[in-house]
Amino acid sequence: MTEPNCDVVIIGAGAAGLYALHRVRGLGLSAKVFEKGDGVGGTWYWNRYPGARCDVESWDYCYTFSEELEQEWEWTERFPTQPELERYFNHVADRFDLRRDIEFDTRVEQARFDDDRNCWIVRTSKGATVAARFLISAAGCLSEVSTPRFKGANTFEGQQIHTARWPKGGMDVTGMRVGVIGTGSTGVQAIPQLAKLAAQLFVFQRTPQFAIPARNRPLDDDTLEKLKHNYRERWALKRESPTGMGRRRPKVSSALELDEATRTRLLENSWALGGPGFARTFDDVMTDAESNQLTAQFVRDKIKDKVEVPDVAESLLEIDHPLGARRLIVEIDYFETYNRPNVTLVDVAANPIEEITPQGLRTADGFSYDLDLIVYATGFDGMTGALLAMDIQGIGGLALRDKWANGAGAYLGLVASGFPNLFMITGPGSPAVYSNVIFSIEQHVDWITDCLAHMLDHDLDRIDSDPEAEAEWTRQVHEIAAQSIVGKTDSWWTGANIDGKPKGVTFYLGGTNTYAAICDQIAAQGYEGFVMR
Ligand code: NA7
């Protein structure tokens, strides 16, 4: 029987995989990272579409584990663009000498737990097999793209592309007739940029959504200096916050306890600040229907003011869900783009796309749109898509796909029972996508590597989660979600965008601060709810 040839295999070289590699090495363990792209950065490697940028502020969307890194890296904008983020992750990979353990252009196809040898047998797209004592998934929550299968798609004579597969060297859309399908965060970022170059832009919108102005701005030297000075303070604020953001906002427990003038003044202040923090103008926006409705009406009025043609404004405002029930979008010039003569909004809720034709596409009302390029801003199989794209088999050959057939869950979002020694970063059951994800990533990786250190210290070679502890955790995740407005409509947050996927919120909405405290307490109590040997 051969021994495992590697201590840890890490799947993915995005923000999570890079930090996991750094920490695992710090324990003196050998590690191998498999990355399907030919570079680091994960989300920020793949999403190169025009306008791609992070909707969390640069000074929060960064690692906190190295003060030197914080001090030497200089962000240039409030909301960093894809190229800047890709540079950042490349810098991290070089600075911490991470590349030598990363195998690029290599997908993990299968990971099978060998009970007798107590190790994971990992098979890659290059046909290699590695046996590892531990497996860490850093495969990401938004990395498995979702492209609807329209009738006739293969007959289209122009180009078609998913936004997360935009070519590395870019694509010149100057003078083209472009159709964009999808108006989520991605579509909303890409549309204003594409409109500037395309001869004609058709936006095929099925579900209008709330969007808050980014108020993006370059960072001048003064601001940068202050940021660098305050990083440690922000770090403390992030740990106290329920979403891992380092911002301080005025605390107003309820919109309903204010008179109208005060409420409007606070909303105006928040609107002027812009960014995702808008949803936290009042503490109860996500829990009280009336507070939510008042806040939503304010946003509707603002959007209406931006759009010149009343019919277009109406189509953009036929929003059928509470503010924040879907992930709140942060926009730059999105609504104003509909005032351009070359941009047409097409309502595909009333008239769905019926088929793609050689010349373009046709909607159910018989209208045809001639196009040179179809852009699918149609999103991802979120949370579990990347994990389930691999054939992961636990004890007794149990497939993760079967375990999660009726809904995904893992104890603390970290370990799924029956899959020993497999740690998931931002897995289902963790706050993951409802947080500043890089903050969550660091918290998860720190917890996982502390757990590994504990196992090494105590000569333990297996960790699994107790099925009862896992079931109880998943019950809590669902119970907390039931009290929130989050997920009270179909979207990728609930899995509703993927045919056949069980519906429901699978992420922990109790706050990153509470979550981290629970994780720490469980570790302090000897890893209660986990089974170690
Ligand atoms: P999203 O938010 O899932 O948006 C996908 C969009 O694509 C959304 O508007 C969908 O409409 C639309 N879509 C999907 N399929 C179709 C079909 N068949 N016809 C018409 N329209 C369709 O993905 P994003 O990439 O924008 O954002 C994902 C996350 O990345 C985001 O939340 C941030 O966290 C970053 P629907 O709403 O389903 O009616």
Side-chain angles (χ1 to χ4, degrees):
M1 201 182 292
T2 52
E3 284 296 305
N5 41 13
C6 177
D7 290 324
V8 185
V9 160
I10 297 168
I11 306 170
L18 292 177
Y19 182 48
L21 173 59
H22 177 65
R23 287 293 317 265
V24 161
R25 272 190 193 163
L27 297 175
L29 297 174
S30 62
K32 179 120 209 124
V33 180
F34 294 115
E35 164 55 52
K36 69 180 174 186
D38 70 2
V40 299
T43 285
W44 303 110
Y45 168 88
W46 291 102
N47 285 273
R48 297 168 187 277
Y49 60 85
R53 70 170 76 227
C54 187
D55 58 10
V56 173
E57 279 104 345
S58 52
W59 51 79
D60 278 341
Y61 195 88
C62 52
Y63 293 117
T64 60
F65 70 87
S66 161
E67 287 189 50
E68 293 79 12
L69 174 64
E70 278 174 350
Q71 292 305 315
E72 74 200 10
W73 184 261
E74 309 231 310
W75 294 109
T76 67
E77 290 180 77
R78 177 179 178 186
F79 294 103
T81 59
Q82 178 274 329
E84 182 163 25
L85 285 157
E86 195 185 14
R87 277 199 302 279
Y88 175 71
F89 289 108
N90 274 284
H91 172 75
V92 171
D94 292 332
R95 193 190 192 290
F96 298 97
D97 185 24
L98 300 177
R99 283 181 214 279
R100 64 186 154 88
D101 288 325
I102 306 174
E103 204 169 314
F104 292 101
D105 292 312
T106 311
R107 263 181 304 111
V108 168
E109 289 190 333
Q110 187 189 59
R112 190 172 50 78
F113 186 69
D114 184 327
D115 209 353
D116 297 332
R117 291 166 65 195
N118 195 41
C119 66
W120 282 92
I121 311 295
V122 178
R123 202 187 67 218
T124 75
S125 52
K126 289 191 173 152
T129 301
V130 178
R133 293 163 67 194
F134 297 96
L135 180 61
I136 298 181
S137 169
C141 296
L142 289 164
S143 31
E144 191 64 18
V145 304
S146 166
T147 309
R149 289 202 187 95
F150 291 112
K151 188 176 140 198
N154 56 350
T155 66
F156 184 55
E157 287 166 359
Q159 284 174 275
Q160 340 184 36
I161 190 159
H162 189 283
T163 43
R165 292 293 175 269
W166 208 264
K168 255 191 171 174
M171 189 193 291
D172 185 8
V173 303
T174 309
M176 282 191 183
R177 296 164 301 175
V178 180
V180 177
I181 303 173
T183 52
S185 295
T186 300
V188 165
Q189 288 188 339
I191 285 161
Q193 301 305 319
L194 294 168
K196 285 181 197 163
L197 298 174
Q200 276 182 293
L201 183 74
F202 296 93
V203 178
F204 299 97
Q205 171 191 265
R206 190 164 65 180
T207 309
Q209 296 198 57
F210 290 103
I212 306 300
R215 313 259 183 246
N216 187 42
R217 59 173 191 274
L219 303 179
D220 58 26
D221 290 348
D222 256 15
T223 312
L224 272 175
E225 203 184 306
K226 276 194 204 114
L227 279 177
K228 287 188 179 182
H229 186 70
N230 291 337
Y231 266 129
R232 291 295 93 192
E233 194 191 328
R234 293 194 78 81
W235 178 80
L237 286 172
K238 283 183 188 181
R239 295 181 68 85
E240 284 166 22
S241 120
T243 51
M245 306 283 188
R247 69 172 82 94
R248 231 190 272 275
R249 289 233 167 203
K251 258 189 107 49
V252 182
S253 49
S254 173
L256 308 177
E257 67 193 24
L258 306 170
D259 60 64
E260 197 183 333
T262 314
R263 195 163 52 225
T264 307
R265 183 171 52 75
L266 291 178
L267 284 166
E268 287 288 358
N269 288 348
S270 250
W271 188 257
L273 280 175
F278 180 84
R280 295 195 172 265
T281 308
F282 312 114
D283 275 356
D284 60 350
V285 174
M286 301 311 294
T287 47
D288 183 278
E290 199 180 337
S291 172
N292 188 284
Q293 201 275 329
L294 287 165
T295 309
Q297 189 55 46
F298 175 89
V299 177
R300 285 172 186 276
D301 292 344
K302 290 288 187 194
I303 294 174
K304 200 170 171 187
D305 285 348
K306 294 184 188 205
V307 184
E308 285 164 10
V309 180
D311 282 358
V312 176
E314 203 176 303
S315 289
L316 290 164
L317 284 167
E318 277 172 13
I319 304 175
D320 62 356
H321 52 271
L323 182 125
R326 288 174 158 230
R327 195 170 186 281
L328 199 56
I329 296 173
V330 177
E331 57 88 16
I332 299 175
D333 295 336
Y334 174 64
F335 295 105
E336 292 84 347
T337 296
Y338 292 98
N339 300 333
R340 296 178 67 105
N342 66 333
V343 177
T344 308
L345 182 65
V346 182
D347 176 0
V348 291
N351 289 296
I353 297 167
E354 201 153 81
E355 72 172 321
I356 310 272
T357 63
Q359 288 75 38
L361 66 77
R362 187 165 56 236
T363 46
D365 51 6
F367 269 96
S368 289
Y369 300 86
D370 287 349
L371 303 169
D372 303 305
L373 172 67
I374 299 176
V375 176
Y376 293 89
T378 47
F380 303 87
D381 181 353
M383 296 297 297
T384 53
L387 276 160
L388 297 184
M390 299 175 279
D391 173 19
I392 299 182
Q393 297 176 24
I395 293 174
L398 174 65
L400 192 58
R401 278 180 209 141
D402 291 337
K403 179 178 163 81
W404 286 351
N406 297 315
Y411 183 42
L412 301 179
L414 290 163
V415 177
S417 72
F419 296 77
N421 296 355
L422 163 58
F423 292 99
M424 291 176 248
I425 303 173
T426 64
S430 78
V433 294
Y434 201 70
S435 68
N436 172 10
V437 76
I438 197 157
F439 173 84
S440 282
I441 283 169
E442 278 193 325
Q443 187 264 337
H444 288 183
V445 171
D446 289 344
W447 192 94
I448 291 166
T449 44
D450 287 352
C451 175
L452 287 174
H454 170 89
M455 292 178 73
L456 296 174
D457 284 351
H458 293 82
D459 267 341
L460 298 163
D461 68 1
R462 186 184 285 205
I463 178 170
D464 199 347
S465 64
D466 173 354
E468 275 180 32
E470 177 175 273
E472 171 55 20
W473 180 255
T474 304
R475 192 193 63 72
Q476 284 182 42
V477 168
H478 294 158
E479 188 179 278
I480 296 168
Q483 293 156 18
S484 171
I485 278 163
V486 169
K488 292 291 173 288
T489 189
D490 286 354
S491 78
W492 71 266
W493 264 358
T494 61
N497 63 327
I498 302 297
D499 285 345
K501 190 168 175 171
K503 266 203 212 176
V505 170
T506 55
F507 41 94
Y508 179 78
L509 284 165
T512 44
N513 47 359
T514 308
Y515 172 80
I518 294 170
C519 289
D520 290 348
Q521 191 189 12
I522 283 170
Q525 288 168 347
Y527 293 90
E528 204 178 10
F530 289 97
V531 185
M532 291 186 179
R533 70 159 209 211

